[in-house]
Amino acid sequence: MKVTALVVGFCLATVSLGKPQFPEQEKSPSYWNSAAQNTLKNALNLQELNKNVAKNLILFLGDGMGIPTVTAARILKGQLGGHSGEETQLEMDKFPYVALAKTYNTDAQVADSAGTATAYLCGVKANEGTVGVSAAAVRGQCNTTSGNEVSSILKWAKDAGKSVGIVTTTRINHATPGAAYAHCVDRDWLSDAELPLEALREGCKDIALQLFENIQNIDVIMGGGRKYMFPSNTSDVEYPGERRHMGTRRDGRNLVEEWKDRFKSHRAYYVWNRNDLLAINPNNMDYMLGLFEPGDFPYNLERNLEKDPSLTEMVDVAIKILRKNPHGFYLLVEGGRIDHGHHEGKAKQALHEAVELDRAIGRAGLLTSLHDTLTVVTADHSHVFNFGGYTPRGNPIFGLAPMLSDVDRKPFTSILYGNGPGYKIVNGARENVSAVDYKQNNYQAQAAVPLRMETHGGEDVAIFSKGPMAHLLHGVKEQNYIPHVMAYAACIGQNKLHCRSLNSQGPSAPTSLTLPTLAAMLLLAHLFW
């Protein structure tokens, strides 16, 4: 009863101040009925399934972007535009098909980013902490690698003649991008400096080295992780003299110079800052290596506008390079620091990262066509992040709930974590958030359980899809189903025969014919033979 009274009191106070709680037109039933009828018409049009062959494939992965994060990012996007936020549409909200993915690893109820990446990139569920290997491989045991390697959809696309690319805001050898090209029983083996001596003796290779050796002609590589490519104690080009940014490789190899040498007879460019990236002409290059930070990118709210490109800018350049291939392309895009923001309890950082990922999705949509491009947006896992507290319409997403706790009589923020570094006790009691700046970029939202780092969540995550065969992503599915659908749509990997046309040279030959059209052509050929 106390809570109800507080909420009612807040709402009455709001009305008395003359502040509208929602747009005036929403008072009319005709507004909602009309909107629902338009949605119904659009839904009926989805009966016309897009069964084209997907020339291009794009997977947007929001690391840690659970459904509460999607909802909160939607509100933030709207509020950044001066609206209340709840009615706003993210770019991913506009996709016609939505499914749910079960994210558990073979050995974990609540997943990590490595095992999940193996699922949605390689089509096989795996153990936590391992990339590009099946569940028969044991984390940290090098001798369980051989024979348990699994290939990714990026490789399937490359083998089919498509151009391929990886764009991330984390280290390029981090768990998510790593599963696209590496086979490693430990996600932490970022360079040979992290490999145990036993693993080195048994011939295991670090993830950075595998980036350049396993699939040697990845067309576009953009992200962080520069220090893992250079010999130990090599000074970083952007942060000279800072030891934590120096090269880490014990084998003395300079992987960037090796990459340059490999492509010296091609139109290939290595860049390490935003200005150089934006100065290039994508039409005059075939291969790009962009390493913009020694480790992960800074959060988008703290990005150096001269040195660090935005995710949207990297996606723009990547697509313009990749789309020159007449056979099409596969592009993996990771908004990786959503996850990091949540782990640190910094909800504002995490949600702004999610909004930036959505901008990149919108940019990709402008550069491609629904006719021949299958675009999928999903997450690897969720977090113990949520927001609530009976907030009124338009409440600032980083604001307070409109009531005091009826237990300790203190205010609380709408955003809360189940666990994490935001757990704070002051003088034996819960911190009074009205005494701190809870709107600052790095404020750590209150958490129920004290942990140095907040944890992942175990609930299902959303899969948004549009383009050829997008309707195959529906219902509740295992996470490893995703790359199989994408491969089927593009006639690569295991799924090719359904795309064979009368004039093709083989099952992987590109075609824009739909399956019904192919069936009709075959019938006519039979009748007139």
Side-chain angles (χ1 to χ4, degrees), residues 182-507:
H183 312 290
C184 191
V185 293
D186 197 319
R187 59 175 289 178
D188 295 329
W189 293 354
L190 298 172
S191 74
D192 63 337
E194 288 79 34
L195 262 71
L197 291 177
E198 182 181 11
L200 287 170
R201 285 195 297 266
E202 292 175 349
C204 275
K205 295 182 179 180
D206 61 90
I207 299 174
L209 183 59
Q210 292 188 56
L211 170 63
F212 298 102
E213 291 191 351
N214 288 4
I215 306 174
Q216 295 191 357
N217 51 349
I218 297 175
D219 302 83
V220 173
I221 301 169
M222 282 194 269
R226 205 162 49 217
K227 66 181 180 180
Y228 304 103
M229 315 301 169
F230 292 92
S232 61
N233 298 321
T234 302
S235 187
D236 185 75
V237 63
E238 186 176 358
Y239 307 99
E242 293 192 35
R243 178 156 293 279
R244 65 192 178 99
H245 294 316
M246 289 181 172
T248 66
R249 301 202 64 82
R250 293 175 178 170
D251 57 12
R253 296 177 66 172
N254 184 324
L255 301 183
V256 171
E257 288 302 319
E258 291 181 20
W259 182 90
K260 290 180 182 178
D261 290 341
R262 180 186 304 153
F263 292 108
K264 60 185 176 184
S265 60
H266 298 79
R267 298 184 300 177
Y269 295 86
Y270 167 68
V271 294
W272 63 269
N273 63 75
R274 177 178 183 264
N275 289 339
D276 287 350
L277 174 69
L278 300 184
I280 64 170
N281 183 348
N283 294 319
N284 294 332
M285 66 163 50
D286 300 314
Y287 297 96
M288 156 158 288
L289 174 61
L291 299 174
F292 301 102
E293 282 290 327
D296 299 318
F297 274 53
Y299 289 118
N300 199 55
L301 284 176
E302 300 168 353
R303 182 167 55 90
N304 183 321
L305 298 183
E306 291 185 3
K307 299 292 178 64
D308 299 310
S310 69
L311 185 61
T312 300
E313 290 167 341
M314 291 192 290
V315 166
D316 179 271
V317 173
I319 291 177
K320 288 175 179 176
I321 294 172
L322 297 172
R323 70 182 180 182
K324 300 197 302 290
N325 186 336
H327 297 287
F329 64 83
Y330 172 86
L331 177 61
L332 168 64
V333 180
E334 182 196 21
R337 302 226 64 197
I338 302 169
D339 178 72
H340 295 170
H342 281 322
H343 278 308
E344 295 176 357
K346 299 175 181 177
K348 189 168 186 177
Q349 299 287 11
L351 295 184
H352 275 271
E353 293 294 309
V355 170
E356 175 58 24
L357 175 67
D358 199 63
R359 290 192 194 101
I361 294 168
R363 183 58 186 158
L366 294 175
L367 294 172
T368 56
S369 167
L370 275 173
H371 177 75
D372 65 1
T373 302
L374 171 62
T375 304
V376 176
V377 180
T378 190
D380 46 358
H381 54 73
S382 186
H383 278 265
V384 291
F385 159 88
N386 220 315
F387 66 101
Y390 302 112
T391 47
R393 179 78 173 268
N395 197 71
I397 193 61
F398 303 116
L400 297 176
M403 66 190 77
L404 303 179
S405 165
D406 57 1
V407 176
D408 66 8
R409 309 303 299 171
K410 291 179 181 178
F412 59 96
T413 53
S414 172
I415 285 174
L416 297 167
Y417 286 96
N419 57 50
Y423 177 92
K424 291 182 177 66
I425 297 296
V426 179
N427 296 325
R430 183 172 68 90
E431 181 182 54
N432 188 335
V433 296
S434 63
V436 299
D437 183 4
Y438 55 82
K439 295 182 180 180
Q440 57 128 333
N441 291 350
N442 291 308
Y443 171 72
Q444 293 177 311
Q446 290 186 317
V449 176
L451 287 176
R452 289 187 178 89
M453 296 290 283
E454 177 265 2
T455 72
H456 296 169
E459 74 269 26
D460 298 348
V461 296
I463 311 169
F464 305 87
S465 58
K466 67 175 181 177
M469 299 293 179
H471 58 280
L472 298 179
L473 288 162
H474 64 274
V476 180
K477 296 291 187 288
E478 295 286 0
Q479 195 170 38
N480 69 296
Y481 174 67
I482 295 171
H484 292 278
V485 169
M486 299 184 77
Y488 183 91
C491 306
I492 61 176
Q494 299 177 50
N495 301 110
K496 299 176 182 178
L497 295 179
H498 64 289
C499 297
R500 192 189 299 272
S501 71
L502 292 176
N503 298 321
S504 69
Q505 300 300 311

Side-chain angles (χ1 to χ4, degrees), residues 68-138:
T69 299
V70 172
T71 307
R74 177 188 304 131
I75 294 172
L76 174 59
K77 177 183 178 181
Q79 293 182 350
L80 290 172
H83 309 289
S84 66
E86 298 84 1
E87 71 292 335
T88 301
Q89 275 195 310
L90 293 167
E91 293 299 325
M92 64 186 90
D93 292 340
K94 302 172 187 177
F95 285 26
Y97 300 99
V98 181
L100 293 176
K102 297 189 283 185
T103 63
Y104 67 92
N105 296 148
T106 49
D107 62 345
Q109 185 179 79
V110 178
D112 96 312
S113 297
T116 50
T118 304
Y120 62 75
L121 291 175
C122 303
V124 173
K125 286 240 177 185
N127 294 328
E128 65 173 345
T130 65
V131 294
V133 290
S134 71
V138 180

